[in-house]
Amino acid sequence: MAAVVWLVMRLRTGIALAAVSGIVVAGAFLFGARASRYQPEAVTAQNAVGDATCLSCHRDKQTFETTAHRVTSRLPVPASFTGSFRPGENVVRTSNPHLYFRMDSTSEGFFQTAVFGASPDTTVRTERVAFVTGSGRRGQSFLYWRGDNLLYQLPVSYWALFGWGNSPAYRDGRPNFDRPIPPRCLECHTTAFQRVANTADVHRYRKDSVILGISCETCHASGREHVERERSIARVVLPSGIVNPARLPRARRLDGCALCHGGAVPLTSEPFTHVPGTPVEKQASLEIWSRPPSPTVDVHGDQVGVLARSRCFQQSDMTCSTCHDVHREQRDPVALSANCLKCHQVQSCDLFPARGQAIAGKCVDCHMPVQQSVSVIANQVGGQVRQPVRSHWIKVYPELR
């Protein structure tokens, strides 16, 4: 009798284990079938997991958090500002003797004030800084909310060249607080910013939709499904559910950069809808790869378009990541010049016979010089100041020889 009971128990256990195994296998199969249909999504506040979640596994990418991309928009806290708010260092004089600007820091926040009129009959207008845009390496501009959800640029920016000054392209001597911020501007300085639907105001946004800075998911697509898969018991049989730009075709890798570094090409897609790994050129009215060379091309904001004119680009499979590691800061032109030696030799330069090893490490400075932008301009007392930006048109510049 005991043997019969033992046998029955063994059979029941085996059936139970088989059932559980079957459920697991079926679940994995069904989940795998759904996973095989993975479709990347543009990141939004609703489907984002955030950099902290990404870095909990990808700790070797921690350096990304201090890059210019990541901090290109921030909340206004003391560490976000490059300019000084100390008395004597926080005032901008203009060509109008009856107008100056003052930057203030108080316990309630950071503010810009325009003071206009002749003393003692002066009028002031003060607005509170809502967002800081720009890493500060070249400069920073500042945005403010008007009313409930209208977003505007403040009239004073910080320029690394000379300090506080008029915001780019602002006319000197006028207290202009009325430049609206459209979604296309935000698309290249933030991860997500949702415009309020059914309104004629292009600069009216939902405040709960904001993700500041360029985040991991800007380039890798929404990480929600990736996290779900990686936390699943079936993760070993599932694809990763994330876009890895390194595994994309050359054109798609370049598209990810060209969205913001491809020039002032009007896109036909809605802002913040680009999905990493999909073509940008099919959403544009003019394909960046087929543009003819132009002597008026600007070094600012068109790095991919300028690079595409270079023989190095046209005669190789290079992409932006050939030289750039987006996960860490890279500012040393000598170190960046080492990438040139993957294809070239110092001895092949026609200046080598006369200068020898003295030219080593100078590939970038000689063939990708810093030039003045024709679009980023500060109108200051005494004239215009143009922002210097490194050109990505790799070629021989006779004036530098």
Side-chain angles (χ1 to χ4, degrees):
M1 183 68 180
V4 172
V5 172
W6 178 84
L7 180 61
V8 171
M9 293 296 293
R10 288 294 301 272
L11 287 171
R12 287 178 176 176
T13 301
I15 292 171
L17 288 173
V20 170
S21 299
I23 291 172
V24 171
V25 170
F29 175 79
L30 292 173
F31 196 88
R34 183 171 71 88
S36 66
R37 300 193 300 271
Y38 165 65
Q39 295 293 327
E41 295 180 336
V43 61
T44 67
Q46 289 71 43
N47 63 17
V49 298
D51 281 14
T53 300
C54 301
L55 295 173
S56 66
C57 291
H58 303 280
R59 295 182 179 88
D60 60 322
K61 301 297 189 292
Q62 184 69 44
T63 52
F64 175 68
E65 295 301 290
T66 58
T67 62
H69 281 103
R70 188 66 188 94
V71 299
T72 193
S73 60
R74 289 173 280 180
L75 291 173
V77 298
S80 301
F81 292 88
T82 306
S84 171
F85 289 83
R86 290 189 295 268
E89 300 175 357
N90 64 338
V91 172
V92 174
R93 301 290 176 182
T94 72
S95 58
N96 182 346
H98 302 303
L99 172 68
Y100 69 89
F101 297 96
R102 188 182 68 244
M103 276 52 66
D104 296 310
S105 171
T106 73
S107 59
E108 297 181 355
F110 298 85
F111 302 85
Q112 284 191 17
T113 296
V115 182
F116 42 97
S119 181
D121 299 322
T122 58
T123 303
V124 300
R125 175 172 177 176
T126 299
E127 299 291 352
R128 181 174 182 168
V129 176
F131 303 113
V132 179
T133 62
S135 68
R137 180 171 174 263
R138 294 192 179 96
Q140 293 178 318
S141 286
F142 311 97
L143 314 181
Y144 79 97
W145 291 113
R146 182 188 299 177
D148 290 335
N149 49 18
L150 291 170
L151 195 62
Y152 291 85
Q153 184 174 11
L154 286 163
V156 173
S157 294
Y158 181 83
W159 299 76
L161 290 171
F162 53 83
W164 297 109
N166 293 315
S167 290
Y170 272 58
R171 292 185 63 179
D172 184 44
R174 294 192 177 187
N176 182 5
F177 286 82
D178 299 323
R179 177 184 284 178
I181 300 299
R184 284 294 178 204
C185 292
L186 294 170
E187 189 174 29
C188 292
H189 288 276
T190 66
T191 294
F193 231 104
Q194 185 177 341
R195 180 174 168 244
V196 174
N198 301 320
T199 175
D201 298 312
V202 297
H203 58 303
R204 189 183 295 276
Y205 302 97
R206 288 181 49 186
K207 291 186 177 180
D208 61 353
S209 71
V210 179
I211 303 177
L212 295 176
I214 301 302
S215 70
C216 303
E217 292 165 280
T218 301
C219 299
H220 294 279
S222 165
R224 179 174 58 185
E225 191 161 344
H226 173 66
V227 171
E228 290 176 356
R229 295 175 187 217
E230 291 301 302
R231 291 175 177 173
S232 166
I233 59 174
R235 63 182 297 270
V236 294
V237 298
L238 298 176
S240 63
I242 199 76
V243 174
N244 185 344
R247 297 176 182 173
L248 294 174
R250 182 195 189 199
R252 299 294 79 79
R253 278 181 282 162
L254 289 162
D255 278 331
C257 301
L259 181 67
C260 292
H261 297 279
V265 177
L267 302 180
T268 57
S269 62
E270 288 295 314
F272 295 104
T273 60
H274 175 70
V275 178
T278 63
V280 166
E281 66 265 30
K282 290 185 179 179
Q283 301 170 359
S285 61
L286 180 64
E287 295 186 357
I288 62 172
W289 313 120
S290 61
R291 289 189 234 160
S294 169
T296 60
V297 66
D298 191 21
V299 290
H300 171 75
D302 196 12
Q303 287 86 349
V304 175
V306 172
L307 178 66
R309 294 165 167 81
S310 309
R311 285 179 59 193
C312 287
F313 177 89
Q314 296 168 0
Q315 298 180 5
S316 73
D317 293 325
M318 74 180 300
T319 65
C320 303
S321 58
T322 300
C323 299
H324 294 291
D325 179 356
V326 73
H327 297 108
R328 62 188 179 93
E329 281 292 334
Q330 295 173 299
R331 298 299 181 194
D332 182 6
V334 175
L336 288 167
S337 294
N339 292 295
C340 303
L341 302 183
K342 297 175 183 177
C343 298
H344 305 280
Q345 295 181 341
V346 175
Q347 293 83 356
S348 64
C349 178
D350 60 6
L351 298 179
F352 182 80
R355 303 183 187 180
Q357 289 296 327
I359 65 173
K362 296 182 179 178
C363 306
V364 169
D365 282 336
C366 288
H367 298 285
M368 302 175 64
V370 173
Q371 298 180 324
Q372 290 187 336
S373 170
V374 298
S375 61
V376 184
I377 302 170
N379 295 308
Q380 300 301 111
V381 177
Q384 291 186 337
V385 179
R386 297 180 182 272
Q387 177 66 54
V389 181
R390 187 170 296 282
S391 174
H392 280 61
W393 195 336
I394 308 170
K395 62 177 182 177
V396 173
Y397 292 81
E399 65 273 20
L400 298 178
R401 294 177 66 82

